[in-house]
Amino acid sequence: MTATVEGPDFIALQVRDVPAAAAFFEERLGLRRAPGGPANAVVFATGPIPFAVREPLPGVDLDGAGQPGLGVALWLRTTDAPALREQLVAAGTEGVTPLQATPFGPSFSFTGPEGYRLTVHGD
């Protein structure tokens, strides 16, 4: 028998300032913290895959990285992409792109905590 991977099971962004990154996701995107979690991270009650912001792992130098997450496409789902986009624009979020039609519904990208580029899609 060969062992296989079922798919992504947990996603975390490594950040320098965990409280500030957690506040961004709570205040601007409406995520809610999951109960418990490790001391060096904030885990959100997202589904089907848990999402977190955490301190960098040993050996990770975020100051030496050009753009965090370069090469990784992180898409977040929402029930109302146009409304969320307007909320982010009104809150002064950097790098919010225009809505565009995709096979996954309307989408847009923006700059999240510490320079991560994130994409939102939904209805």
Side-chain angles (χ1 to χ4, degrees):
M1 179 198 247
T2 302
T4 62
V5 171
E6 295 174 355
D9 190 48
F10 186 82
I11 297 170
L13 298 180
Q14 297 180 78
V15 296
R16 293 173 205 85
D17 188 339
V18 172
F24 178 94
F25 286 105
E26 289 174 312
E27 295 166 8
R28 298 204 185 178
L29 300 183
L31 295 184
R32 297 290 165 245
R33 292 178 189 224
N40 63 345
V42 172
V43 179
F44 299 100
T46 58
I49 299 171
F51 173 73
V53 290
R54 62 156 295 135
E55 293 176 357
L57 293 167
V60 173
D61 177 16
L62 293 178
D63 293 325
Q67 179 183 345
L70 186 61
V72 174
L74 179 57
W75 286 53
L76 306 169
R77 183 180 59 242
T78 182
T79 57
D80 191 338
L84 180 60
R85 182 187 175 281
E86 292 308 313
Q87 286 173 213
L88 291 172
V89 168
T93 304
E94 295 181 20
V96 179
T97 63
L99 278 172
Q100 61 181 357
T102 73
F104 312 105
S107 73
F108 66 94
S109 296
F110 63 96
T111 302
E114 301 192 17
Y116 283 98
R117 287 298 292 168
L118 306 170
T119 300
V120 173
H121 72 98
D123 300 331

